[in-house]
Each structure stands twice: as structure tokens, then as C-alpha cells.
Amino acid sequence: MKAFDSDSQTERSRIVARAVAVTANTALAPQRYERQLLDRYQRGELTIDQVISLLDASTYQVLYHSVAAQPFDEAQLQALLERSRNFNGRHSITGILLYSDGRFVQLLEGDEQQVRQLYARIQQDPRHTQVVTVSEGPGPARRFADWSMGFGRVAGLEVAEALDLVVSQETLPAPEVAEPYLLALLQAFGITPAATQLGQAEKG
Ligand SMILES: Cc1cc2nc3c(=O)[nH]c(=O)nc-3n(C[C@H](O)[C@H](O)[C@H](O)COP(=O)(O)O)c2cc1C
């Protein structure tokens, strides 16, 4: 499909390369979702205006926790993840799922209608109960643009502590967190876990 008559593919590639170079190592550096949009622009499938309006579209986010009806074994977790990544990838939903001792924490983000519909289905899923919404609403930008559904297995206590921090918006003291997905979840909510030496956290 041709998006431009005047803009050649070479020109679009140069524009993208320049944008990527200028933003490298800054907070604006394009992540996976943004890269996908830029690739589509490069291929002439999207105009730059379409890319900008997709990037500007505010993201709707849901964070919840729940309890597995029966503990999930490895095969069940993998099946759930495979299904989720497949569906989420096709609907531009990104996020993170943490599992610990029969408890789930999940953050979903994407288009409001898509996220609400998916969350409604997840809430009805008999494989878990006690689904509690921690926060829900529009967010400024994708926090997990890189993951159609990042997955981490964490110690129960860490999840509980992390959720307490997210809910209370507390800044101090944050626990030391080693698990990368949990770390990412905390950072997404502006909580920087304690530096080992200082035992303090900053709110970013
Ligand atoms: C903890 C948990 C998280 C889930 N996360 C997702 C998800 O991110 N994406 C997804 O498509 N399905 C997810 N599911 C599965 C959905 O609940 C549901 O089974 C799936 O969307 C199929 O729905 P359907 O049977 O009505 O078609 C999750 C289920 C559980 C228990």
C-alpha cells in the first residue's frame, strides 16, 4: 500500500534513522510498540500523521490481583501465556503478569475499549477468583510497550510489598527487588527500589 507519492521509502528510512539516533539513550527512545509503528511508516503502510495519532492515543491501564482457583502448574501457565501473548499482540495490548504462590498480579494497557473488554473476560475466568482492581484508568503512555505479556514468577512477599507500595504511593522505604519483572512493575509506577547501600527509594 502506498501512503505517499512524494516521500520515497529511502527518505522515510532516513527520517526514522534520524529520529532513532536523536532519541537514543533518552526516555524518548522508541520501544517495541513505537518501533513497530515506525517500521510500518517506513514501509509506507502508515502516514506520519497516523503514527503520531496512534502514539498520542492515551493508553488505558488496569492493574489487578487475584487468587488462582487451583495452583497453576508449568504447563497451565505456559498455555495461559501463549494464549494471552497471541491475543494481546493482535490487539496491541501490552503488560505484565506476575505469578506467585497461587496469586496473580497483572497490568494491562492499550486502547480503552480493548482493555476493558479483555479485563471483563479475565474477571469471568473461573481459573481465578477474588479479582481485585488496584487501579484503572487512562495513563499517559505505555509502560510495557516491549511486552505483549511479560511474565515473572516472584516470591509472594515481594508481590505483596510491591502492591502495597503501588496502592499507597509510598516512596520510602522500598524493598530491594531482584526479580526483573517486579522491578519493572515498580518502576512503571514511579517507585525506584532501594539502593542496597542507602536503603532508600526515590520516586521518579
Ligand atoms: C490471571 C489471568 C490472566 C489472563 N490474562 C490474559 C491476557 O492478558 N490476555 C488474554 O487474551 N487472555 C488472558 N487470560 C485468559 C482470559 O481470561 C480468557 O480465558 C481468554 O481471553 C479466552 O476467553 P474466551 O474463552 O471467552 O474466548 C487470563 C486469564 C487469567 C486467569
Side-chain angles (χ1 to χ4, degrees):
M1 180 180 135
K2 267 202 174 152
F4 293 96
D5 291 332
S6 56
D7 240 3
S8 71
Q9 174 140 8
T10 320
E11 243 173 287
R12 292 197 298 273
S13 298
R14 278 186 42 228
I15 292 169
V16 168
R18 184 88 187 120
V20 170
V22 166
T23 55
N25 300 321
T26 73
L28 292 174
Q31 294 189 318
R32 189 149 134 202
Y33 174 66
E34 285 120 22
R35 278 305 315 215
Q36 281 170 359
L37 295 181
L38 289 175
D39 287 348
R40 293 178 65 193
Y41 163 69
Q42 222 165 294
R43 292 198 297 268
E45 292 172 14
L46 293 175
T47 66
I48 200 67
D49 284 342
Q50 287 171 322
V51 171
I52 289 168
S53 69
L54 281 167
L55 288 174
D56 279 351
S58 93
T59 303
Y60 195 78
Q61 286 157 344
V62 173
L63 176 70
Y64 74 86
H65 57 83
S66 65
V67 180
Q70 303 283 332
F72 274 52
D73 65 21
E74 192 56 39
Q76 289 167 319
L77 281 173
Q78 287 311 322
L80 173 63
L81 279 174
E82 196 179 319
R83 204 270 176 227
S84 299
R85 287 180 176 145
N86 187 309
F87 179 89
N88 298 1
R90 281 185 286 116
H91 295 85
S92 289
I93 293 173
T94 51
I96 193 167
L97 177 69
L98 300 174
Y99 181 74
S100 161
D101 285 344
R103 290 174 174 271
F104 288 106
V105 178
Q106 188 173 33
L107 183 123
L108 298 164
E109 57 185 11
D111 168 75
E112 174 168 355
Q113 205 192 345
Q114 302 275 7
V115 169
R116 278 172 176 271
Q117 279 174 5
L118 173 60
Y119 187 41
R121 276 215 314 278
I122 291 175
Q123 284 174 305
Q124 301 298 319
D125 196 315
R127 289 174 290 178
H128 65 167
T129 59
Q130 301 173 49
V131 181
V132 175
T133 308
V134 177
S135 68
E136 175 167 10
R142 277 176 197 265
R143 289 160 161 150
F144 295 101
D146 266 359
W147 295 318
S148 61
M149 192 43 63
F151 176 71
R153 223 180 297 260
V154 283
L157 192 62
E158 280 196 339
V159 169
E161 279 180 337
L163 276 176
D164 279 352
L165 284 168
V166 169
V167 174
S168 66
Q169 300 278 301
E170 280 290 328
T171 52
L172 294 172
E176 281 171 34
V177 172
E179 208 290 321
Y181 287 105
L182 187 58
L183 190 62
L185 180 74
L186 286 175
Q187 286 171 344
F189 283 88
I191 298 160
T192 309
T196 315
Q197 299 284 313
L198 301 173
Q200 288 197 345
E202 288 168 13
K203 202 161 181 199

